[in-house]
Amino acid sequence: MWSSDRRTFLRLAAVALGGAGLAACGFTPAYGPSGGAGKLLSQVDFTDPRTRDEFALTEQLAERLGPPNSPRYRLEYGIRTEVLGQAITPDNATTRYSLSGNVDYTLRDIGTNAVLLTGRAASFTSWSASGSAVATQTASEDARRRLMVILADQIVTRLLAQAGSLPQ
């Protein structure tokens, strides 16, 4: 039987060797001193939001990337969503809905308007419609907000992953 100390030592050794392997392959943390996040933090302006979904999306993007301070890049986006009934009772009442959505985005250089990165984020969420009308409406709005947070987080993750390819 192995002692607890020996198992702890082996776990720590495995973590250290794994970290050394990542460092040897050129892995750089995105938020580290030479990571790509430095190129994006407080450097991205967003297309002005006009809808509730766009406000929720840009609010989360600004939270993750920081408010633009003399931005170098502009993020343009287009949001599409679709609501589908998921649970329908025998008397034809829908008791659960799903909300799917995607965002096509383009990161441009503000000075030249050149397209630097493009992509699409997609996800879904759902809500129950079995409560009162007010509860159902509140759940629907919450689901929309949650979806925009998920999509914004996907966009930021992809931008950070590709930030190393951005011009200096």
Side-chain angles (χ1 to χ4, degrees):
M1 197 123 215
W2 288 46
S3 73
S4 174
D5 291 340
R6 183 160 173 91
R7 281 192 298 261
T8 301
F9 171 77
L10 289 174
R11 284 187 195 123
L12 290 173
V15 168
L17 288 173
L22 286 174
C25 76
F27 172 78
T28 303
Y31 292 99
S34 57
K39 292 181 180 178
L40 294 173
L41 294 178
S42 297
Q43 295 296 310
V44 181
D45 197 8
F46 313 107
T47 303
D48 290 335
R50 293 182 305 271
T51 67
R52 195 176 279 196
D53 287 346
E54 291 175 352
F55 273 98
L57 181 81
T58 57
E59 180 180 59
Q60 181 68 11
L61 289 168
E63 185 175 314
R64 292 281 313 274
L65 293 172
N69 180 16
S70 65
R72 182 171 182 187
Y73 309 107
R74 182 178 60 255
L75 186 68
E76 299 169 350
Y77 53 84
I79 301 172
R80 283 184 305 285
T81 60
E82 181 180 19
V83 175
L84 296 171
Q86 295 294 300
I88 301 172
T89 64
D91 56 342
N92 221 17
T94 304
T95 60
R96 187 151 195 89
Y97 291 91
S98 75
L99 173 67
S100 61
N102 61 59
V103 177
D104 291 315
Y105 62 90
T106 303
L107 186 71
R108 293 181 180 272
D109 183 292
I110 285 181
T112 65
N113 205 35
V115 173
L116 302 173
L117 300 172
T118 62
R120 173 180 281 180
S123 193
F124 69 95
T125 189
S126 64
W127 74 92
S128 173
S130 59
S132 68
V134 171
T136 299
Q137 179 63 30
T138 302
S140 168
E141 291 170 6
D142 179 65
R144 293 192 88 80
R145 180 150 183 78
R146 284 184 288 123
L147 179 62
M148 293 306 117
V149 168
I150 292 166
L151 294 172
D153 286 347
Q154 284 183 15
I155 292 168
V156 169
T157 299
R158 292 174 185 166
L159 290 176
L160 291 175
Q162 297 176 307
S165 69
L166 295 174
Q168 293 290 343

PDB file of all heavy atoms in Angstrom, residues 111-128:
ATOM      1  N   GLY A 111      -7.225  51.370 -38.045  1.00  0.00           N
ATOM      2  CA  GLY A 111      -6.514  52.291 -38.927  1.00  0.00           C
ATOM      3  C   GLY A 111      -6.669  51.980 -40.402  1.00  0.00           C
ATOM      4  O   GLY A 111      -6.852  52.876 -41.223  1.00  0.00           O
ATOM      5  N   THR A 112      -6.625  50.694 -40.754  1.00  0.00           N
ATOM      6  CA  THR A 112      -6.639  50.311 -42.166  1.00  0.00           C
ATOM      7  C   THR A 112      -7.953  49.661 -42.597  1.00  0.00           C
ATOM      8  O   THR A 112      -8.159  49.446 -43.787  1.00  0.00           O
ATOM      9  CB  THR A 112      -5.507  49.314 -42.463  1.00  0.00           C
ATOM     10  OG1 THR A 112      -5.762  48.105 -41.728  1.00  0.00           O
ATOM     11  CG2 THR A 112      -4.148  49.891 -42.094  1.00  0.00           C
ATOM     12  N   ASN A 113      -8.805  49.296 -41.644  1.00  0.00           N
ATOM     13  CA  ASN A 113     -10.044  48.576 -41.881  1.00  0.00           C
ATOM     14  C   ASN A 113      -9.803  47.167 -42.431  1.00  0.00           C
ATOM     15  O   ASN A 113     -10.709  46.515 -42.934  1.00  0.00           O
ATOM     16  CB  ASN A 113     -10.993  49.344 -42.801  1.00  0.00           C
ATOM     17  CG  ASN A 113     -12.440  48.945 -42.571  1.00  0.00           C
ATOM     18  OD1 ASN A 113     -12.831  48.654 -41.447  1.00  0.00           O
ATOM     19  ND2 ASN A 113     -13.219  48.925 -43.638  1.00  0.00           N
ATOM     20  N   ALA A 114      -8.554  46.696 -42.334  1.00  0.00           N
ATOM     21  CA  ALA A 114      -8.215  45.353 -42.814  1.00  0.00           C
ATOM     22  C   ALA A 114      -8.832  44.304 -41.900  1.00  0.00           C
ATOM     23  O   ALA A 114      -8.853  44.463 -40.680  1.00  0.00           O
ATOM     24  CB  ALA A 114      -6.698  45.179 -42.852  1.00  0.00           C
ATOM     25  N   VAL A 115      -9.325  43.225 -42.505  1.00  0.00           N
ATOM     26  CA  VAL A 115      -9.857  42.100 -41.741  1.00  0.00           C
ATOM     27  C   VAL A 115      -8.681  41.301 -41.199  1.00  0.00           C
ATOM     28  O   VAL A 115      -7.822  40.847 -41.947  1.00  0.00           O
ATOM     29  CB  VAL A 115     -10.758  41.205 -42.614  1.00  0.00           C
ATOM     30  CG1 VAL A 115     -11.167  39.952 -41.867  1.00  0.00           C
ATOM     31  CG2 VAL A 115     -11.974  41.976 -43.086  1.00  0.00           C
ATOM     32  N   LEU A 116      -8.642  41.147 -39.872  1.00  0.00           N
ATOM     33  CA  LEU A 116      -7.553  40.414 -39.228  1.00  0.00           C
ATOM     34  C   LEU A 116      -7.970  39.004 -38.823  1.00  0.00           C
ATOM     35  O   LEU A 116      -7.198  38.066 -38.987  1.00  0.00           O
ATOM     36  CB  LEU A 116      -7.065  41.179 -37.997  1.00  0.00           C
ATOM     37  CG  LEU A 116      -6.582  42.609 -38.261  1.00  0.00           C
ATOM     38  CD1 LEU A 116      -6.277  43.323 -36.962  1.00  0.00           C
ATOM     39  CD2 LEU A 116      -5.372  42.587 -39.180  1.00  0.00           C
ATOM     40  N   LEU A 117      -9.168  38.860 -38.296  1.00  0.00           N
ATOM     41  CA  LEU A 117      -9.671  37.556 -37.866  1.00  0.00           C
ATOM     42  C   LEU A 117     -11.175  37.488 -38.119  1.00  0.00           C
ATOM     43  O   LEU A 117     -11.868  38.503 -38.004  1.00  0.00           O
ATOM     44  CB  LEU A 117      -9.430  37.341 -36.365  1.00  0.00           C
ATOM     45  CG  LEU A 117      -7.997  37.364 -35.857  1.00  0.00           C
ATOM     46  CD1 LEU A 117      -7.976  37.335 -34.335  1.00  0.00           C
ATOM     47  CD2 LEU A 117      -7.202  36.196 -36.421  1.00  0.00           C
ATOM     48  N   THR A 118     -11.657  36.310 -38.435  1.00  0.00           N
ATOM     49  CA  THR A 118     -13.103  36.092 -38.562  1.00  0.00           C
ATOM     50  C   THR A 118     -13.435  34.765 -37.898  1.00  0.00           C
ATOM     51  O   THR A 118     -12.565  33.913 -37.711  1.00  0.00           O
ATOM     52  CB  THR A 118     -13.570  36.027 -40.033  1.00  0.00           C
ATOM     53  OG1 THR A 118     -12.930  34.922 -40.665  1.00  0.00           O
ATOM     54  CG2 THR A 118     -13.262  37.308 -40.772  1.00  0.00           C
ATOM     55  N   GLY A 119     -14.696  34.601 -37.563  1.00  0.00           N
ATOM     56  CA  GLY A 119     -15.107  33.331 -36.984  1.00  0.00           C
ATOM     57  C   GLY A 119     -16.583  33.313 -36.674  1.00  0.00           C
ATOM     58  O   GLY A 119     -17.312  34.271 -36.919  1.00  0.00           O
ATOM     59  N   ARG A 120     -17.006  32.198 -36.096  1.00  0.00           N
ATOM     60  CA  ARG A 120     -18.399  32.020 -35.694  1.00  0.00           C
ATOM     61  C   ARG A 120     -18.422  31.295 -34.359  1.00  0.00           C
ATOM     62  O   ARG A 120     -17.732  30.300 -34.171  1.00  0.00           O
ATOM     63  CB  ARG A 120     -19.170  31.205 -36.721  1.00  0.00           C
ATOM     64  CG  ARG A 120     -20.593  30.863 -36.240  1.00  0.00           C
ATOM     65  CD  ARG A 120     -21.354  30.059 -37.241  1.00  0.00           C
ATOM     66  NE  ARG A 120     -21.836  30.987 -38.270  1.00  0.00           N
ATOM     67  CZ  ARG A 120     -22.545  30.636 -39.308  1.00  0.00           C
ATOM     68  NH1 ARG A 120     -22.844  29.368 -39.502  1.00  0.00           N
ATOM     69  NH2 ARG A 120     -22.953  31.534 -40.175  1.00  0.00           N
ATOM     70  N   ALA A 121     -19.237  31.805 -33.457  1.00  0.00           N
ATOM     71  CA  ALA A 121     -19.480  31.152 -32.179  1.00  0.00           C
ATOM     72  C   ALA A 121     -20.931  30.690 -32.181  1.00  0.00           C
ATOM     73  O   ALA A 121     -21.801  31.400 -32.676  1.00  0.00           O
ATOM     74  CB  ALA A 121     -19.228  32.117 -31.028  1.00  0.00           C
ATOM     75  N   ALA A 122     -21.186  29.514 -31.645  1.00  0.00           N
ATOM     76  CA  ALA A 122     -22.555  28.982 -31.616  1.00  0.00           C
ATOM     77  C   ALA A 122     -22.779  28.209 -30.328  1.00  0.00           C
ATOM     78  O   ALA A 122     -21.872  27.537 -29.832  1.00  0.00           O
ATOM     79  CB  ALA A 122     -22.795  28.074 -32.819  1.00  0.00           C
ATOM     80  N   SER A 123     -23.987  28.314 -29.806  1.00  0.00           N
ATOM     81  CA  SER A 123     -24.356  27.559 -28.612  1.00  0.00           C
ATOM     82  C   SER A 123     -25.871  27.575 -28.449  1.00  0.00           C
ATOM     83  O   SER A 123     -26.592  28.066 -29.333  1.00  0.00           O
ATOM     84  CB  SER A 123     -23.678  28.138 -27.369  1.00  0.00           C
ATOM     85  OG  SER A 123     -23.798  27.226 -26.280  1.00  0.00           O
ATOM     86  N   PHE A 124     -26.342  27.051 -27.325  1.00  0.00           N
ATOM     87  CA  PHE A 124     -27.775  27.037 -27.050  1.00  0.00           C
ATOM     88  C   PHE A 124     -27.994  27.057 -25.552  1.00  0.00           C
ATOM     89  O   PHE A 124     -27.091  26.787 -24.763  1.00  0.00           O
ATOM     90  CB  PHE A 124     -28.444  25.793 -27.655  1.00  0.00           C
ATOM     91  CG  PHE A 124     -28.039  24.530 -26.962  1.00  0.00           C
ATOM     92  CD1 PHE A 124     -28.818  24.002 -25.940  1.00  0.00           C
ATOM     93  CD2 PHE A 124     -26.865  23.876 -27.312  1.00  0.00           C
ATOM     94  CE1 PHE A 124     -28.435  22.844 -25.282  1.00  0.00           C
ATOM     95  CE2 PHE A 124     -26.476  22.721 -26.663  1.00  0.00           C
ATOM     96  CZ  PHE A 124     -27.266  22.197 -25.643  1.00  0.00           C
ATOM     97  N   THR A 125     -29.199  27.367 -25.173  1.00  0.00           N
ATOM     98  CA  THR A 125     -29.648  27.295 -23.786  1.00  0.00           C
ATOM     99  C   THR A 125     -31.150  27.033 -23.817  1.00  0.00           C
ATOM    100  O   THR A 125     -31.732  26.911 -24.891  1.00  0.00           O
ATOM    101  CB  THR A 125     -29.285  28.585 -23.011  1.00  0.00           C
ATOM    102  OG1 THR A 125     -29.556  28.397 -21.627  1.00  0.00           O
ATOM    103  CG2 THR A 125     -30.010  29.784 -23.538  1.00  0.00           C
ATOM    104  N   SER A 126     -31.765  26.927 -22.650  1.00  0.00           N
ATOM    105  CA  SER A 126     -33.203  26.656 -22.634  1.00  0.00           C
ATOM    106  C   SER A 126     -33.829  27.233 -21.374  1.00  0.00           C
ATOM    107  O   SER A 126     -33.134  27.692 -20.473  1.00  0.00           O
ATOM    108  CB  SER A 126     -33.465  25.148 -22.711  1.00  0.00           C
ATOM    109  OG  SER A 126     -32.945  24.496 -21.573  1.00  0.00           O
ATOM    110  N   TRP A 127     -35.164  27.196 -21.344  1.00  0.00           N
ATOM    111  CA  TRP A 127     -35.883  27.663 -20.166  1.00  0.00           C
ATOM    112  C   TRP A 127     -37.226  26.950 -20.068  1.00  0.00           C
ATOM    113  O   TRP A 127     -37.741  26.433 -21.045  1.00  0.00           O
ATOM    114  CB  TRP A 127     -36.063  29.179 -20.178  1.00  0.00           C
ATOM    115  CG  TRP A 127     -37.075  29.702 -21.139  1.00  0.00           C
ATOM    116  CD1 TRP A 127     -38.401  29.948 -20.886  1.00  0.00           C
ATOM    117  CD2 TRP A 127     -36.883  30.047 -22.508  1.00  0.00           C
ATOM    118  NE1 TRP A 127     -39.026  30.434 -21.995  1.00  0.00           N
ATOM    119  CE2 TRP A 127     -38.109  30.503 -23.018  1.00  0.00           C
ATOM    120  CE3 TRP A 127     -35.784  30.012 -23.365  1.00  0.00           C
ATOM    121  CZ2 TRP A 127     -38.273  30.906 -24.326  1.00  0.00           C
ATOM    122  CZ3 TRP A 127     -35.934  30.423 -24.667  1.00  0.00           C
ATOM    123  CH2 TRP A 127     -37.163  30.873 -25.144  1.00  0.00           C
ATOM    124  N   SER A 128     -37.744  26.945 -18.852  1.00  0.00           N
ATOM    125  CA  SER A 128     -39.026  26.322 -18.582  1.00  0.00           C
ATOM    126  C   SER A 128     -40.143  27.341 -18.756  1.00  0.00           C
ATOM    127  O   SER A 128     -40.015  28.501 -18.381  1.00  0.00           O
ATOM    128  CB  SER A 128     -39.056  25.776 -17.153  1.00  0.00           C
ATOM    129  OG  SER A 128     -40.343  25.317 -16.826  1.00  0.00           O
TER     130      SER A 128
END
